[in-house]
Amino acid sequence: MSMGLALSKNFLGEAPKWYKLTIVAFLVLNPILLFVVGPFVTGWVIIIEFIFTLAMALKCYPLPPAGLLAIECVILGMTSPETVYHETAANFPVIMLLMFMVAGIYFMQEGLLFLFTKILVGVKSKILLSLLFCFLGAFLSAFLDALTVTAVIIAVAYGFYGIFHKYTSTHTVEEYNIGNDDGVNHSFREDLDHFRAFLRNLMMHGAVGTALGGATTLVGEPQNLIIGEKLHWHFSDFFLHCAPVSIPVLFMGLLTCVLLEKFKIMGYGAHLPAPVRKVLEDRVKEDIANMDAQGKARLLVKAIIGVLLIAALALHIAEVGVIGLMIIVLLTAFTGVISEHQIGHAFEEALPFTALLVVFFAIVAVIHDQHLFQPVINYVLSMKGQGQLVAYYIANGVLSAISDNVFVATVYINETATHFKDIIPMLGHPEAAHTAEELLHLEQFQKLAVAINMGTNIPSVATPNGQAAFLFLLTSALAPLIRLSYMEMVKLAFPYAVVMSVSGYLGVLYLL
């Protein structure tokens, strides 16, 4: 084999040849576009290329191809290492969350799996189970954060899948591989496919639930804190200002969950196969029968630390990542996990995604440096009254669906605060407004903040790149196992995105 052929085979490994050629074409095309049409158009092309790497996540993990695009952007001068670092540093709490909280959830898997398996086999109705996942995702995200909640449901679904997949395998313990179906008994293959569809349904119900709940409170999503800080809103202020839109959208989302399952729309309605339920029921009985005193002590410790985790997150005693590190320390110390090798496994799931997120921040840096969103921002700021609120909602929704909702919200709230800088001192003190016009401007600024919040939180469920929790699910170890591709996520999210986006639009138009 010649060196050239060897290099071409090594480039992006086992990815299809057409995929490799497409990435090479992107890398060759970008400098030409920059020279011919300039940085603005080239910047939008690079966003489309980045979304392509996410859409093809099952062909090739997005980190290498997207990373090559990001490096090229820096070399071409479309952004700088300083801006990439600034964007990354600004999102350091999210990075800490991924590094430590996701690892902390890994050590709670045994307890979570025990609890949720009992729920799964106990609740016979698929509609009720789906509604339960969606509601729990919403409720927990309102007080915790969407990424942590998503990490929990991923861990649970991965455990469910592993139990049945291992049961159906004819391979020995040494040969067994959860990602390989070659050893699956032929009599169980159809059940396994139905189980995958069932888990895809539950994962999407739970993930959408995190968006529904995350929009309602100050701590639900990272951008909510940024908006709240600009408006001087506390927890109750944020909830009450957003409630006229967020609560109707929440109810419409839950209603959509029920209707999707009842009428089996867009891939929903998959039921838990009877053989899978039998295997899970037997597993619960077996776990209870085989549990010794140490096992019961581990479950007790995990239950106590789980309550501590929820309390610490709800009260925000520290940054989420710091709380995650505390959970790792407590769980490893009190459940006897003291080997570096054992502890290292906990970080395997989150670190590739953390690296991908930093690459994403490099693309966000291009958006920032090339002012790609500026024409849209200028247009909506030039509008007035209720039309401006609706335009804000739509603009934030569309831009969040193709980029990052935290970035979009940050840009919009900063530009809006600059536009309304004269009334900033009146926030929290409406009596300080000397004229009716000043009071109207104050109310408009507050309504625009709600439009930004709802626009960045709700329509962004349409694509996996709109929300970090969705992107985390897409690139998780679970996604390829249950055949959850980018386009499958888009398809499953579509009915939710339509109903929730339209509900949000009507809420902004008539209820704000």
Side-chain angles (χ1 to χ4, degrees):
M1 184 185 295
S2 67
M3 183 58 70
L5 184 59
L7 286 170
S8 68
K9 280 188 171 292
N10 284 343
F11 179 69
L12 298 182
E14 296 178 359
K17 188 176 179 180
W18 65 264
Y19 182 87
K20 296 182 183 185
L21 291 172
T22 303
I23 298 301
V24 171
F26 288 164
L27 296 171
V28 172
L29 177 66
N30 293 336
I32 298 170
L33 280 176
L34 182 62
F35 179 75
V36 175
V37 296
F40 186 84
V41 174
T42 307
W44 277 104
V45 171
I46 287 169
I47 290 175
I48 294 168
E49 292 169 354
F50 178 73
I51 292 172
F52 171 83
T53 66
L54 298 178
M56 295 292 115
L58 295 186
K59 301 292 183 187
C60 173
Y61 190 75
L63 179 61
L68 289 173
L69 292 173
I71 292 169
E72 185 179 54
C73 288
V74 175
I75 293 171
L76 293 176
M78 296 192 67
T79 187
S80 66
E82 291 75 21
T83 309
V84 175
Y85 178 78
H86 173 75
E87 291 292 343
T88 306
N91 288 279
F92 186 63
V94 179
I95 292 171
M96 281 193 71
L97 184 155
L98 286 166
M99 288 167 59
F100 298 128
M101 184 57 77
V102 175
I105 297 300
Y106 173 88
F107 290 113
M108 296 189 73
Q109 271 186 334
E110 182 187 16
L112 289 170
L113 192 57
F114 182 78
L115 171 65
F116 277 88
T117 306
K118 292 195 79 171
I119 292 173
L120 186 67
V121 299
V123 179
K124 300 292 192 290
S125 167
K126 172 70 187 304
I127 294 175
L128 182 58
L129 188 64
S130 299
L131 188 61
L132 186 63
F133 262 69
C134 194
F135 176 77
L136 282 176
F139 180 78
L140 292 174
S141 290
F143 297 98
L144 311 182
D145 66 90
L147 269 173
T148 302
V149 176
T150 306
V152 169
I153 60 175
I154 287 172
V156 168
Y158 190 91
F160 287 159
Y161 181 84
I163 290 170
F164 185 68
H165 191 270
K166 196 167 188 177
Y167 176 84
T168 63
S169 177
T170 56
H171 284 165
T172 63
V173 175
E174 292 77 18
E175 295 173 326
Y176 177 71
N177 179 358
I178 194 170
N180 188 343
D181 285 354
D182 291 346
V184 173
N185 190 311
H186 285 283
S187 61
F188 287 113
R189 284 186 180 273
E190 190 176 345
D191 291 324
L192 185 60
D193 286 337
H194 288 312
F195 188 37
R196 284 178 174 132
F198 174 84
L199 289 177
R200 287 197 298 270
N201 288 178
L202 288 189
M203 291 307 299
M204 288 305 295
H205 290 314
V208 170
T210 65
L212 288 167
T216 60
T217 66
L218 181 67
V219 297
E221 293 280 354
Q223 68 266 29
N224 298 14
L225 288 166
I226 297 166
I227 293 167
E229 185 183 349
K230 288 288 181 185
L231 274 293
H232 301 172
W233 285 344
H234 297 295
F235 191 94
S236 58
D237 300 323
F238 189 98
F239 176 79
L240 291 172
H241 276 98
C242 295
V245 184
S246 64
I247 299 303
V249 170
L250 171 62
F251 281 111
M252 289 304 295
L254 294 174
L255 177 61
T256 303
C257 173
V258 173
L259 294 177
L260 287 173
E261 287 297 333
K262 183 171 180 60
F263 295 105
K264 297 178 169 52
I265 301 167
M266 299 290 287
Y268 287 100
H271 287 276
L272 182 66
V276 180
R277 181 181 294 279
K278 179 72 168 58
V279 169
L280 293 176
E281 285 175 345
D282 290 345
R283 174 62 182 265
V284 171
K285 293 173 185 173
E286 184 184 332
D287 285 347
I288 293 172
N290 295 338
M291 195 175 293
D292 57 10
Q294 276 189 296
K296 290 176 183 176
R298 280 199 307 273
L299 281 182
L300 177 63
V301 165
K302 288 176 182 182
I304 293 169
I305 293 175
V307 172
L308 177 64
L309 169 64
I310 293 170
L313 287 168
L315 296 172
H316 295 276
I317 62 171
E319 277 290 349
V320 177
V322 176
I323 295 172
L325 182 57
M326 175 189 76
I327 295 302
I328 291 173
V329 171
L330 293 175
L331 284 169
T332 52
F334 289 99
T335 59
V337 180
I338 57 171
S339 159
E340 181 185 5
H341 181 70
Q342 284 178 291
I343 294 171
H345 276 305
F347 295 89
E348 289 176 359
E349 173 75 10
L351 285 183
F353 179 71
T354 307
L356 176 61
L357 203 61
V358 175
V359 168
F360 184 51
F361 295 145
I363 304 300
V364 170
V366 173
I367 296 172
H368 180 271
D369 283 352
Q370 301 306 324
H371 309 291
L372 300 185
F373 293 169
Q374 204 62 45
V376 182
I377 293 170
N378 292 339
Y379 175 71
V380 295
L381 278 173
S382 68
M383 301 177 75
K384 303 292 181 187
Q386 211 70 13
Q388 187 181 42
L389 294 179
V390 171
Y392 254 65
Y393 174 79
I394 293 171
N396 278 272
V398 172
L399 295 176
S400 293
I402 62 174
S403 65
D404 168 46
N405 56 3
V406 178
F407 170 74
V408 173
T410 303
V411 170
Y412 262 88
I413 197 64
N414 286 339
E415 291 290 337
T416 307
T418 302
H419 188 71
F420 286 89
K421 61 181 182 295
D422 293 337
I423 57 97
I424 295 289
M426 303 173 200
L427 290 169
H429 307 285
E431 68 279 358
H434 299 299
T435 65
E437 187 180 4
E438 285 182 341
L439 192 60
L440 282 173
H441 281 175
L442 177 61
E443 290 177 357
Q444 184 71 0
F445 183 36
Q446 292 175 328
K447 289 178 179 179
L448 287 172
V450 175
I452 293 170
N453 172 56
M454 297 308 298
T456 53
N457 276 307
I458 298 305
S460 56
V461 303
T463 64
N465 38 294
Q467 298 216 6
F470 278 47
L471 190 58
F472 183 46
L473 172 58
L474 174 69
T475 57
S476 68
L478 174 70
L481 298 180
I482 62 172
R483 310 297 187 260
L484 188 62
S485 65
Y486 185 98
M487 292 312 298
E488 183 68 17
M489 280 190 77
V490 169
K491 184 190 83 173
L492 291 169
F494 179 75
Y496 273 117
V498 170
V499 173
M500 289 159 55
S501 298
V502 171
S503 302
Y505 172 85
L506 295 174
V508 169
L509 184 60
Y510 294 113
L511 302 177
L512 266 189

